[in-house]
Structure formats: structure tokens, C-alpha cells
Amino acid sequence: MSGLDASFYLLEDENTPLHVASVIVFEGPVPSYGDLIRAIVAKLPLVPRYRQRVRSVPLHLGRPVWTDDPHFQVLYHVRHTALPAPGNDEQLRNLAGRVLAQRLDPDKPLWEIWLVEGLTEGRWAMIAKVHHCMVDGVAGMDLATVMFDMSPDYEPPGEPEEWVPEPEPSALALLRDSAQRAVTQPLGLTRDVARSLGLPATPGLDSVIRVLDGGLGQLSPPRPSRELRDFALGLSRATARFIHPSAGSLNGPIGPHRRWCWQQMALDDVKRVRKALGGTVNDIVLATVTAGYRDLLNARGELTYDTCVRSAVPVSVRAKDEGGELNNRVAAVFVNLPVGVDDPLERLRRVREQTDDVKGSNQAAGTKALSRLTDTAVAPALLSLAARLPVRLHQDLVQTVTTNVPGPNFPLYVMGRRVLEMHPYVPLTGGIRVATAIVSYCGQLHFGITGDFDAMPDLDVLSKGMLGGFNELLAEAAKR
């Protein structure tokens, strides 16, 4: 695992299940459970990670590793349930909230798919869960294009390919490989620091790295000098945002249960707003989310003119040639959502001002460099401690997470049934009680909003406020 992937794995506890997920709604007819199993088994050779589990290195002297699960059983990972009549969207959201709150079994491959029957109009759904240590949002979209078909034409699969798991490495082998990585990765980082600073290369260092690496793969450590300068510049500009007063009730302890709901908006309407009012699709999304938090805090009696909701905004730093890799390539930037501003145009302007500043400072590239430094950690026990500290300690610097993932703009199919809707789920951690994920699919933006069950009984106020805020922008665009 990379340092970032290991952080996601080690961060999880009973109140912090760290899987990403989606609730996918299909047109009918509903497939049988057996037919769905056979369709999934036929795709598994394309995603070998789905038959692997996590092994910890003895004494935590190395980061966890992926190994084939000798006891893999697909029937454990694919579940079957149904909604009672009438099978409406509210029932589906309530079911999903319960399923999504349950942790994945850490001793097995870290994924589940639930087949849900009984939706109105002959529809059916899948609830798909995968641990964050396996994928970020963009990798998840790559995975969807592997697991799903691009055409309604469907041929039932034949006999599945025989799968023979690789022998599990011994504890001694895990320790040896971890020691090898502990040497090669810091040496690689030292080499690049010297190069980026214009210092003479250490004689023979590249050769030593190649020998020690021993076929573990081409090292590609970050170029710290340039990226860390970018980060320092971005951090200096962002510091003022952390001084701004923020909404306190959105931070605090979280329990094991979740509320979850969704909203949908037409992508053509979003583009209409962008063309009339300026900015990017992501700017309009952030302004829409801002309006939702404004309504929420107003209903709680906490809204003032200078209040903000500080959001972490994960951005992909995945290279074009990394598509399809099951790992995390994300960094975070921070935006103060101006919830105290009444005018929707002024809210959008203030959001744009911050995102433009982030782009100019290249803050994400610097954050990526820092996250890559975790790959040089010799003692992952320290990484485990660092990962858990934000969960154990109360923090009020960041109130929420808003992540926007571009999905396919073409229809997907499973067994000839078209995907109608794709609603995302994002986990909660670090004292953050509510978060929003947005996925675009086939002309629609799908907003999935996750809240702690006890702390967010008014989650629907936030959800409806987002829709209302977008309609305000759409009305302003119609005037232009």
C-alpha cells in the first residue's frame, strides 16, 4: 500500500467506517441473484484486487500489503435484499443508510454489492461498497467502466475462469520486503532532493536503488523542491481562511450510524448557469452546497453575516497513464463556503475568487508532495498513530468535505439493464459530521449527502437547501 492508502485503512474504527459507495438504480426487469453472481464472477479477472485481502506486517514494521484471499467466496460479498411495498426512493435511502453504516470485514476482500429488489416502476438497485484504501473517487469511476457494460447487448457468461490464489507470503517474507522498501524509498527521495536543488548526484546512488529495488517496480517519488514551494505559497494564502469564524455545530463526535440522502440536477442547467454567470462547474457546485448550509444554519439559529463553512475539497492528482489503477491519487484544498452571504451571485463570486486563488498557487500539487512523503515512513506504527489522531481529537478547522467526481457521460448497463441513476456516498471522519459527494452521469449531477445519524436529524434541510440554491442561480442565469 502507499502511505495514503495505508492511512485510510488504519484510520478506520467502529465509529468511522471508511468505505466509499454508490447506490445505482437500474431499469427492469430485476435479474435473479444467481445471474448477477455469474455476471460479477465473469468480471473479476479484470479487477484482481477484489479477490485480495489486507495483511499486516508483523509488529507493524511495514505498511500493510495486499495478498490473495485463499478463502475467497463471492457469495459472501454479493448480498440480496428487497424493499417492502411501495418501494419508493425514501425507503431505498433509508435502507442504504443502514447498509452504508456497516463496516466491511477487515479479514476479507474489502467490498460488497447488495442487490435490492422491490423498487417502484419495476426498477431495481445495487448498493456497491469498496474501502477507501482501494480506490479514490476517480479510480472508482475507472472501476465502474470495467464492471459495467457499454452496450445493452448482453451475452450470458460461460463457465468462469479457474482462479488459483497465489500462496500467502510468510511473516519473514513480509518483513524482508518491508525492510527493502524502507531503504529504497528514502534513498529515492534523497536522490530527487539533490537533483531538484541542483546538487551533484551521489555517485552510484541510482545503481544502489535499482539493486535494492529488486524488481519491486519503477520508483517515481515526487520532486519535493518545486512542489513544496508551491505548497508553501498555497498554504500562506490559505492561512487566512482558517482564521475566519466557522459554524461550530458541524464538528464534534460521531457515532456508528448514518443518515444519507440525495439530490439531482440537470447538467445542461449547470452549464447554462456557467455560461451566463461564469466560473466552472465545480464553482457552481460549491455555490450550490453553500446555499444548503446557509439554510441549515439559519434553521438552527446559528447563521450570522460573517459565518463560513470550511470545506475540504479533494482533487484528483492522477496522471493520465494511471487510469484503472486501484489506489488513491488525491490531494485536498480548502474553500470557505460563504454561507453568511444572502445574494446568490455574491456567493458564487466569492467561491470563484478562492478557487482561482487555489489554482494560481498550485496548492494541490504541494499537498500531493506531502502525501507522497508518507511513503518513506520506516515505522508504519507511527503512521497508524498519526492517522487516528484526527479522529480521537476534536477539531473545528474543517466542517465538511465536498468532492466532485466526473463520471461517464454515456449510459452504462448491467446484464442489458440500463443504469438510470448513480448516487454517491462519502464517509465521515475527523469530527466532520456531514459531507457531500457529487458524481456526474449521463446528463445529471447526483449529489449524495452523508450525515451522522444523531448530529444531523435535519439533513433534509441541507439537501433541499442545495436544490433551492441552485434554482436561485438558474433564475439569475435566465435574466442574462
Side-chain angles (χ1 to χ4, degrees):
M1 283 189 183
S2 71
L4 182 58
D5 293 345
S7 296
F8 285 126
Y9 178 73
L10 296 168
L11 183 66
E12 187 171 70
D13 64 19
E14 62 275 7
N15 288 345
T16 314
L18 279 180
H19 49 262
V20 292
S22 57
V23 176
I24 307 161
V25 179
F26 297 85
E27 65 183 6
V30 182
S32 72
Y33 177 69
D35 285 345
L36 180 60
I37 288 286
R38 283 183 281 274
I40 290 174
V41 168
K43 297 288 187 178
L44 285 178
L46 302 175
V47 280
R49 181 63 49 78
Y50 270 38
R51 288 192 275 213
Q52 294 180 325
R53 64 189 182 102
V54 178
R55 282 279 307 276
S56 294
V57 176
L59 303 178
H60 294 289
L61 294 177
R63 290 193 302 274
V65 299
W66 294 102
T67 65
D68 285 351
D69 179 8
H71 308 294
F72 176 78
Q73 174 53 261
V74 70
L75 297 178
Y76 173 84
H77 296 275
V78 183
R79 316 288 180 85
H80 190 191
T81 189
L83 296 177
N88 57 34
D89 287 349
E90 183 63 24
Q91 291 171 301
L92 178 58
R93 286 190 286 265
N94 289 338
L95 170 66
R98 293 192 295 272
V99 169
L100 297 174
Q102 300 169 9
R103 290 180 67 185
L104 294 163
D105 186 341
D107 293 325
K108 298 183 181 297
L110 294 171
W111 65 278
E112 290 176 2
I113 290 178
W114 290 66
L115 168 62
V116 183
E117 295 190 45
L119 277 68
T120 57
E121 301 173 359
R123 300 170 301 152
W124 58 285
M126 286 200 312
I127 303 173
K129 301 165 54 177
V130 58
H131 201 283
H132 212 326
C133 69
M134 287 175 64
V135 294
D136 56 46
V138 175
M141 285 297 99
D142 290 342
L143 177 62
T145 59
V146 171
M147 295 296 292
F148 292 85
D149 298 320
M150 309 299 142
S151 165
D153 300 328
Y154 177 69
E155 290 283 340
E159 288 298 313
E161 298 179 14
E162 182 182 6
W163 178 73
V164 179
E166 293 289 333
E168 288 198 288
S170 66
L172 181 61
L174 291 175
L175 284 170
R176 184 188 64 242
D177 291 344
S178 295
Q180 188 179 48
R181 283 192 295 270
V183 173
T184 60
Q185 288 179 327
L187 282 174
L189 181 61
T190 302
R191 176 194 59 192
D192 271 24
V193 168
R195 287 177 176 174
S196 63
L197 293 176
L199 300 176
T202 304
L205 181 57
D206 285 345
S207 298
V208 171
I209 292 171
R210 282 195 297 271
V211 170
L212 290 172
D213 193 36
L216 285 175
Q218 182 68 32
L219 288 172
S220 56
R223 301 183 65 85
S225 178
R226 176 181 177 182
E227 291 180 326
L228 292 181
R229 281 201 308 268
D230 288 336
F231 176 77
L233 176 61
L235 184 61
S236 66
R237 294 184 182 183
T239 300
R241 296 178 193 143
F242 289 92
I243 300 173
H244 201 86
S246 57
S249 68
L250 300 179
N251 293 111
I254 57 176
H257 307 299
R258 298 290 177 265
R259 297 180 190 270
W260 181 76
C261 61
W262 72 63
Q263 285 289 357
Q264 291 177 232
M265 297 160 198
L267 192 54
D268 282 346
D269 286 343
V270 176
K271 292 177 179 178
R272 190 173 297 116
V273 171
R274 182 189 64 184
K275 183 177 180 180
L277 305 181
T280 65
V281 168
N282 199 50
D283 293 335
I284 293 160
V285 163
L286 289 172
T288 295
V289 170
T290 301
Y293 282 108
R294 175 179 171 81
D295 282 7
L296 177 71
L297 295 176
N298 188 44
R300 292 182 175 186
E302 300 177 19
L303 187 67
T304 65
Y305 75 94
D306 62 347
T307 302
C308 82
V309 171
R310 193 167 297 109
S311 179
V313 181
V315 295
S316 175
V317 289
R318 183 177 299 276
K320 290 182 179 179
D321 60 355
E322 293 179 313
E325 295 184 17
L326 297 187
N327 52 21
N328 287 274
R329 291 289 185 269
V330 293
V333 298
F334 301 95
V335 176
N336 284 349
L337 305 181
V339 296
V341 177
D342 180 58
D343 181 9
L345 295 179
E346 178 62 13
R347 289 197 296 265
L348 177 59
R349 187 195 69 78
R350 294 195 188 188
V351 166
R352 286 185 61 189
E353 184 178 66
Q354 293 179 76
T355 58
D356 288 346
D357 185 58
V358 165
K359 294 169 193 171
S361 67
N362 205 9
Q363 188 184 136
T367 307
K368 174 189 177 184
L370 288 187
S371 69
R372 291 286 298 275
L373 291 178
T374 63
D375 288 343
T376 68
V378 176
L382 296 178
L383 180 62
S384 174
L385 175 62
R388 291 176 181 273
L389 277 176
V391 178
R392 304 301 184 193
L393 300 178
H394 174 74
Q395 66 84 29
D396 55 8
L397 292 176
V398 179
Q399 286 72 58
T400 192
V401 174
T402 310
T403 178
N404 185 11
V405 178
N409 199 30
F410 50 84
L412 299 174
Y413 300 85
V414 166
M415 305 171 66
R417 284 82 163 176
R418 179 170 175 161
V419 174
L420 301 175
E421 302 167 10
M422 187 180 295
H423 304 290
Y425 169 90
V426 63
L428 304 178
T429 187
I432 293 174
R433 292 170 156 178
V434 59
T436 305
I438 303 98
V439 167
S440 58
Y441 168 70
C442 246
Q444 294 285 319
L445 281 184
H446 299 273
F447 288 62
I449 309 159
T450 308
D452 177 75
F453 191 89
D454 295 321
M456 295 297 301
D458 46 2
L459 193 66
D460 62 323
V461 175
L462 174 62
S463 172
K464 293 174 182 176
M466 290 182 189
L467 183 60
F470 177 71
N471 287 336
E472 286 181 323
L473 291 174
L474 193 58
E476 291 292 338
K479 300 175 184 177
R480 303 300 174 98

